[in-house]
């Protein structure tokens, strides 16, 4: 079956540090890959996505590259801010003939940035 | 702006009670989903619906049912709440053939 494995948390970094959160996947077929973010007290929101191999998704200074050879989609940011403190979820979906694509999520990584 | 709303942010219920969680989206989306979120387990799909009156089981449907009588509304029902259903419940919606799901703020349910 399909699955997503992401880096165990929690992760604590100082402001302006470099961030990497690892994500690898197992899927039958060619999935699309996502990073969702959950800020305290809120639901999830899409951070970035990539739909095919070698695509790079980017948003708000975050980037992730779809690596088919290593089945990975690691999230990176060059200089984190306190406002980036949140829980980050890696997820995948496979195209459905019926148009009801379902997401498979990783377990989430809690990130805390200290000033 | 895209909007998914859930009827309650916090809910406290007793074991054995029937519980209704409501979700409404204003984007005319075909697909709607219910997840539960637990620490260390991420999000797990309970049920989803791709059209009015249509529903399909997700990964953990036991102890839950759903209802979708109108396109914009998707209800999750706990027929007889149990303590192991204490969790955060998240509703999401998406347009048919579109991969991006839009989430509500969640309902934190405590079953005593």
């Amino acid at each position: 079956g399909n699955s997503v494995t992401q880096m165990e948390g929690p992760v604590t970094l100082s402001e302006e540090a470099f961030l990497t959160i690892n994500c690898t996947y197992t899927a039958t077929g060619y999935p699309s890959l996502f990073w969702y973010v959950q800020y305290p007290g809120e639901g999830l929101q899409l951070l970035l996505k990539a739909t095919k191999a070698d695509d790079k998704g980017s948003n708000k200074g975050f980037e992730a590259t779809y690596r088919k050879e290593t089945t990975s989609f690691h999230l990176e940011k060059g200089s984190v801010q306190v406002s980036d403190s949140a829980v980050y979820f890696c997820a995948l979906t496979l195209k459905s003939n019926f148009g009801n694509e379902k997401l498979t999520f990783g377990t989430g990584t809690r990130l805390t940035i200290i000033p | 702006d895209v909007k998914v709303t859930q009827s309650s942010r916090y809910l406290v219920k007793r074991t054995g009670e029937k519980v209704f969680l409501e979700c409404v989206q204003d984007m005319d989306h075909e697909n709607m989903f219910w997840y539960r979120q637990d620490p260390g387990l991420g999000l797990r799909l309970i049920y989803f619906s791709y059209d009015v009156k249509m529903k399909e089981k997700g990964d953990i449907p036991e102890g839950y049912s759903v209802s979708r009588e109108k396109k914009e509304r998707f209800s999750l029902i706990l027929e007889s709440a149990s303590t192991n259903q204490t969790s955060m419940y998240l509703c999401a919606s998406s347009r048919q053939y579109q991969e991006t799901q839009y989430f509500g703020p969640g309902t934190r349910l405590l079953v005593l």
Side-chain angles (χ1 to χ4, degrees):
Chain A
N2 304 321
S3 66
V4 175
T5 302
Q6 64 180 101
M7 189 169 154
E8 293 263 346
V11 174
T12 303
L13 294 172
S14 297
E15 206 165 19
E16 299 183 4
F18 184 86
L19 169 71
T20 301
I21 301 178
N22 290 337
C23 171
T24 57
Y25 67 89
T26 303
T28 52
Y30 301 98
S32 295
L33 301 173
F34 304 80
W35 279 100
Y36 277 82
V37 59
Q38 184 179 33
Y39 297 104
E42 297 183 15
L44 277 69
Q45 55 185 272
L46 179 67
L47 180 60
L48 54 84
K49 70 178 187 181
T51 57
K52 61 183 189 299
D54 300 324
D55 267 4
K56 180 187 279 189
S58 61
N59 186 23
K60 299 183 181 181
F62 290 89
E63 291 183 341
T65 301
Y66 188 143
R67 301 279 186 212
K68 184 163 169 273
E69 63 277 11
T70 54
T71 61
S72 65
F73 192 54
H74 304 320
L75 183 68
E76 296 183 335
K77 187 175 185 183
S79 176
V80 292
Q81 306 300 314
V82 171
S83 57
D84 295 326
S85 298
V87 182
Y88 292 81
F89 292 91
C90 186
L92 68 80
T93 191
L94 286 159
K95 274 291 180 199
S96 160
N97 291 333
F98 304 101
N100 54 0
E101 283 76 8
K102 292 174 282 184
L103 286 166
T104 299
F105 284 91
T107 54
T109 302
R110 181 175 297 277
L111 173 67
T112 302
I113 307 300
I114 51 177
Chain B
D1 233 5
V2 159
K3 196 118 176 156
V4 179
T5 56
Q6 295 183 228
S7 51
S8 307
R9 293 299 298 269
Y10 301 94
L11 214 48
V12 180
K13 296 292 181 181
R14 297 275 177 199
T15 303
E17 277 192 78
K18 191 167 186 174
V19 182
F20 292 86
L21 302 182
E22 304 284 334
C23 174
V24 177
Q25 50 96 2
D26 66 358
M27 298 162 284
D28 201 37
H29 284 172
E30 290 79 13
N31 301 322
M32 296 188 76
F33 305 83
W34 274 108
Y35 297 89
R36 64 177 281 175
Q37 180 182 2
D38 299 289
L41 296 175
L43 274 74
R44 294 178 291 167
L45 182 64
I46 304 171
Y47 267 97
F48 68 99
S49 167
Y50 51 90
D51 201 352
V52 175
K53 296 194 188 295
M54 305 303 287
K55 61 186 179 187
E56 282 199 26
K57 294 179 180 179
D59 300 317
I60 51 163
E62 297 77 20
Y64 303 94
S65 62
V66 290
S67 171
R68 192 161 180 207
E69 296 296 318
K70 292 185 177 181
K71 190 175 186 181
E72 67 271 18
R73 189 179 296 269
F74 191 35
S75 303
L76 180 69
I77 303 154
L78 287 65
E79 296 289 343
S80 177
S82 63
T83 54
N84 62 13
Q85 292 178 310
T86 290
S87 187
M88 168 75 93
Y89 291 87
L90 290 165
C91 175
S93 72
S94 69
R95 190 168 297 288
Q96 192 179 24
Y97 300 112
Q98 298 294 313
E99 299 166 326
T100 301
Q101 292 185 17
Y102 297 88
F103 284 81
T107 296
R108 191 170 291 282
L109 173 67
L110 173 63
V111 182
L112 299 173

